[in-house]
């Protein structure tokens, strides 16, 4: 059989952190979310493969994931001395420090600016950003001391979205379903 037959026989559904939008011709194409933007051609091939071959997908968009205060995992880890919470807290910081370096290297979509980073992950207003001249910071800046805003736990939300019994808890109903070639796909666009 074909690769599509092999996937259909062994995969109940595919969960993707990304997004799609309706094209003028009535088909769905990748949106501008970061995971699509990194390799748009691969994103197009992935969505096309899933839709053309009737493989159900759960697609988690960036607006579906709530912002969580950075200090939540850190304070919980310190209070409980729980190894898993300590790992999650450290992973947040390492991931956001890496994101800063990629931003400074010009490896993020144009909408991801230094001001966006400081507003999102550091809780810094536009006025404070300009007053403190934070735009002048470079990739070698130690960002950990600035990180006091929020982060979006895409991984845990995608994991929950991949479990059918959790879809109702994420606010997914008929309005988030699309049907392509007779197969139901879920678009998780908001929580």
């Amino acid at each position: 059989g074909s690769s599509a037959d092999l996937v259909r026989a062994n995969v109940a559904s595919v969960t993707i952190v990304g997004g799609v939008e309706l094209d003028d011709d009535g088909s769905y194409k990748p949106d501008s979310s970061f995971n699509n933007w990194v390799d748009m051609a691969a994103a197009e091939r992935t969505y096309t493969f899933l839709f053309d071959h009737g493989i159900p997908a759960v697609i988690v968009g960036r607006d579906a994931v709530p912002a969580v205060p950075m200090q939540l995992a850190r304070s919980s880890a310190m209070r409980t001395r729980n190894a898993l919470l300590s790992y999650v807290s450290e992973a947040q910081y390492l991931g956001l420090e890496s994101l800063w370096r990629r931003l400074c290297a010009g490896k993020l979509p144009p909408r991801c600016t230094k001001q966006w980073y400081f507003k999102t992950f550091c809780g810094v207003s536009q006025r404070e950003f300009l007053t403190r001249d934070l735009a002048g910071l470079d990739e070698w800046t130690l960002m950990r001391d600035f990180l006091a805003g929020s982060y979006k736990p895409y991984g845990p939300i995608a994991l929950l979205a991949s479990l059918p019994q959790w879809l109702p808890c994420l606010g997914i109903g008929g309005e988030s379903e699309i049907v392509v070639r007779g197969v139901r796909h879920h678009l998780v666009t908001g929580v």
Side-chain angles (χ1 to χ4, degrees), residues 37-182:
W37 179 84
V38 170
D39 190 342
M40 191 60 77
E44 288 174 6
R45 286 192 306 274
T46 299
Y47 292 120
T48 298
F49 180 84
L50 295 172
F51 294 150
D52 285 355
H53 297 289
I55 300 163
V58 177
I59 303 165
V60 179
R62 65 178 164 259
D63 294 331
V65 181
V68 176
M70 286 289 299
Q71 299 304 320
L72 185 63
R74 176 189 244 176
S75 63
S76 295
M78 291 172 67
R79 188 179 70 255
T80 64
R81 300 183 196 270
N82 180 288
L84 179 61
L85 287 176
S86 295
Y87 170 81
V88 168
S89 176
E90 185 63 15
Q92 288 172 7
Y93 286 99
L94 292 173
L96 291 173
E97 288 168 340
S98 174
L99 183 67
W100 173 256
R101 288 189 297 277
R102 290 195 320 262
L103 181 135
C104 290
K107 296 182 179 177
L108 296 181
R111 65 180 166 73
C112 300
T113 64
K114 288 181 180 179
Q115 186 174 341
W116 160 83
Y117 183 96
F118 271 91
K119 178 184 176 191
T120 304
F121 305 114
C122 305
V124 171
S125 69
Q126 178 181 0
R127 183 177 193 185
E128 183 180 357
F129 179 81
L130 297 172
T131 303
R132 293 176 61 190
D133 193 29
L134 297 172
L137 299 179
D138 64 15
E139 65 185 281
W140 301 109
T141 303
L142 298 175
M143 295 307 296
R144 190 169 292 235
D145 293 336
F146 290 98
L147 296 172
S150 60
Y151 75 101
K152 290 189 164 200
Y154 291 103
I157 296 297
L159 177 62
L160 291 174
S162 71
L163 304 169
Q165 66 271 28
W166 278 91
L167 288 176
C169 298
L170 296 174
I172 299 172
E175 72 281 359
S176 67
E177 292 180 355
I178 60 171
V179 177
V180 179
R181 300 183 199 270

